[in-house]
């Protein structure tokens, strides 16, 4: 990865952004080439990038003040909750959310298992539960519903009242459980946790409840504004219609889901009437540079270790490493810490 970063030579490219005026208000769009095909040899090339300044400026000049025809389609989509945690996915999530190292997360989960008896065995590589575990899960939900944990109890009550805790191959599957099953809370809600322990307990408990809740439902609109019959701009809007499992994450989920990145599926779109022509109010070419791949964080390094077999280029070796990673859930944290101790790697921030 470091070699890739050092070898990277930044290339200039351009994106064209435009604002369109409709009767109901204005909305933004990003230029793209509908005939673009993916180039396996050049990952930097994309449908919405231009490599020539003169070409970009010519498109901007051709669009300014011009009328555009709008076509759009709206589709319902759903998003299921992520699977239950195994150790590696818990370490990745805790690193991304709280900046905890893999070693820290393992020791917190271990303390919650051994000392507080609040979580099940953490050194596991399974994300499923045994098929005969439904009764235990119902008991855990009942204990959470009656616990004093105000941020968790109402969701457990909802799940029980609406009969959400039921058999599902996505959760209960003997073929995906080896020596140990996924990390879940025990029927014994804990007291006296440190702040860091509470964070890990909440992470596991919310995920445990979320897998039983229904998927979140969205309405996604893709709008194509075609200027002067030749230049295409894409705008995407996404509206949450039913929270489903996201209700368990409350405001935190809402901010993650609704924080629109530039040109990303963000907010509901300004409506455009069927057959209405819109006008290109503003268009500009933004000059940008390609970026090298990011350095590893502990979360992405754990992910790379878990799926290490996939990135081997030699076919025979890749076949041998298929479905295998480097280390096991129980040893990955120690491998990373060992390399840091020997000063083969440096940890800076996250």
């Amino acid at each position: 990865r470091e070699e890739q970063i050092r070898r990277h030579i930044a290339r200039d490219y351009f994106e064209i952004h435009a604002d369109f005026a409709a009767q109901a208000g204005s909305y933004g769009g990003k230029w793209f080439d509908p005939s673009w095909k993916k180039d396996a040899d050049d990952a930097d090339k994309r449908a919405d990038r231009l490599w020539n300044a003169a070409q970009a400026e010519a498109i901007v000049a051709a669009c300014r003040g011009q009328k555009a025809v709008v076509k759009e389609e709206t589709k319902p989509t759903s998003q299921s909750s992520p699977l239950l945690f195994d150790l590696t996915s818990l370490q990745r999530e805790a690193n991304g959310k709280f900046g905890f190292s893999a070693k820290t997360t393992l020791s917190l989960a271990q303390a919650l298992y051994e000392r507080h008896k609040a979580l099940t065995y953490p050194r596991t590589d399974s994300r499923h539960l045994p098929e005969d575990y439904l009764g235990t899960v119902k008991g855990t939900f009942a204990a959470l519903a009656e616990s004093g944990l105000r941020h968790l109890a109402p969701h457990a009550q909802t799940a029980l009242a609406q009969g959400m805790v039921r058999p599902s191959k996505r959760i209960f599957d003997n073929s995906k459980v080896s020596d140990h099953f996924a990390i879940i809370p025990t029927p014994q809600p804990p007291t006296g946790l440190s702040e860091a322990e509470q964070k890990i307990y909440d992470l596991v408990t919310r995920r445990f409840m979320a897998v039983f809740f229904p998927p979140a439902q969205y309405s996604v609109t893709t709008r194509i504004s075609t200027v002067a019959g030749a230049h295409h701009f894409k705008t995407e809007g996404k509206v949450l219609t039913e929270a489903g499992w996201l209700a368990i994450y409350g405001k935190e989920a809402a901010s993650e889901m609704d924080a629109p990145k530039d040109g990303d599926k963000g907010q509901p779109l300004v409506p455009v009437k069927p057959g209405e022509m819109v006008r290109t109010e503003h268009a500009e070419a933004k000059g940008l540079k390609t970026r090298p791949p990011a350095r590893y964080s502990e979360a992405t390094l754990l992910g790379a270790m878990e799926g290490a077999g996939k990135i081997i280029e030699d076919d025979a070796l890749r076949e041998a490493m298929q479905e295998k990673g480097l280390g096991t859930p129980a040893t990955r944290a120690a491998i990373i810490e060992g390399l840091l101790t020997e000063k083969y790697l440096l940890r800076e921030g996250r």
Side-chain angles (χ1 to χ4, degrees):
R1 178 61 57 94
E2 194 61 30
E3 281 182 356
Q4 284 177 322
I5 293 168
R6 291 181 185 184
R7 278 203 310 266
H8 178 82
I9 297 164
R11 297 155 67 188
D12 293 320
Y13 70 93
F14 299 87
E15 284 182 358
I16 301 171
H17 294 260
D19 291 324
F20 298 98
Q23 286 171 21
S26 74
Y27 64 91
K30 190 178 186 184
W31 177 90
F32 74 104
D33 175 2
S35 63
W36 180 80
K37 296 273 186 291
K38 193 170 183 174
D39 183 345
D41 300 328
D42 192 344
D44 283 336
K45 291 194 170 163
R46 295 192 196 148
D48 57 6
R49 290 182 174 181
L50 287 159
W51 300 91
N52 178 321
Q55 188 189 0
E57 286 302 341
I59 293 172
V60 167
C63 292
R64 276 195 186 123
Q66 297 297 316
K67 290 268 195 274
V69 177
V70 176
K71 272 191 179 159
E72 67 181 28
E73 63 171 353
T74 300
K75 288 182 180 165
T77 65
S78 64
Q79 183 191 10
S80 295
S81 78
L83 294 175
L84 295 168
F85 282 123
D86 61 1
L87 179 60
T88 304
S89 56
L90 178 62
Q91 287 168 321
R92 292 181 66 181
E93 185 87 357
N95 180 251
K97 272 209 162 73
F98 312 125
F100 291 171
S101 71
K103 179 185 174 185
T104 300
T105 300
L106 174 56
S107 63
L108 290 166
Q110 197 71 27
L112 285 161
Y113 164 66
E114 282 175 6
R115 202 165 70 241
H116 298 287
K117 310 279 187 279
L119 293 184
T120 58
Y121 184 75
R123 292 168 186 257
T124 173
D125 61 356
S126 174
R127 303 188 69 176
H128 294 78
L129 298 174
E131 286 160 27
D132 60 3
Y133 222 67
L134 185 65
T136 309
V137 166
K138 282 187 171 161
T140 304
F141 265 89
L144 285 166
E146 288 162 21
S147 72
L149 302 167
R150 283 200 300 275
H151 58 305
L152 302 173
H155 303 301
Q157 287 157 6
T158 302
L160 290 171
Q162 296 184 14
M164 292 176 187
V165 187
R166 52 179 180 263
S168 154
K169 262 298 194 212
R170 191 170 177 261
I171 306 165
F172 302 97
D173 188 343
N174 288 346
S175 68
K176 294 187 177 160
V177 174
S178 49
D179 302 345
H180 304 287
F181 51 79
I183 307 171
I184 61 170
T186 64
Q188 189 176 323
T191 51
L193 299 185
S194 70
E195 189 188 346
E197 287 169 342
Q198 187 70 50
K199 281 179 171 169
I200 296 296
Y201 179 77
D202 283 357
L203 218 51
V204 172
T205 305
R206 284 183 204 267
R207 177 69 64 92
F208 164 71
M209 291 196 291
V211 294
F212 291 95
F213 270 65
Q217 303 290 343
Y218 293 95
S219 165
V220 177
T221 302
T222 304
R223 176 179 294 170
I224 308 295
S225 310
T226 306
V227 183
H231 306 295
H232 306 269
F233 290 79
K234 185 186 279 187
T235 313
E236 292 190 308
K238 187 173 180 180
V239 183
L240 183 65
T241 52
E242 280 179 46
W245 64 274
L246 287 174
I248 293 170
Y249 293 87
K251 285 199 173 73
E252 172 194 352
S255 64
E256 271 183 35
M257 296 299 150
D258 298 341
K261 298 177 193 70
D262 203 21
D264 192 10
K265 295 185 175 108
Q267 306 298 356
L269 293 183
V270 164
V272 173
K273 291 177 185 152
E276 181 189 338
M277 295 283 277
V278 299
R279 194 173 63 80
T280 316
E281 276 188 310
H282 175 76
E284 66 168 329
K286 289 187 180 174
L288 300 159
K289 286 185 187 303
T290 59
R291 295 218 287 261
R295 287 200 172 86
Y296 283 112
S297 69
E298 207 139 335
T300 57
L301 183 57
L302 284 163
M305 290 171 80
E306 190 175 32
K310 295 178 189 137
I311 35 188
I312 296 172
E313 287 174 9
D314 180 302
D315 290 342
L317 289 176
R318 186 167 66 235
E319 190 62 34
M321 278 286 285
Q322 201 182 6
E323 303 297 316
K324 293 192 173 59
L326 295 175
T328 66
T331 60
R332 283 181 195 128
I335 292 169
I336 294 172
E337 293 297 329
L339 290 165
L340 289 162
T341 308
E342 294 290 350
K343 303 266 194 292
Y344 291 143
L345 303 181
L346 293 172
R347 185 191 272 136
E348 289 182 10
R350 294 195 181 190

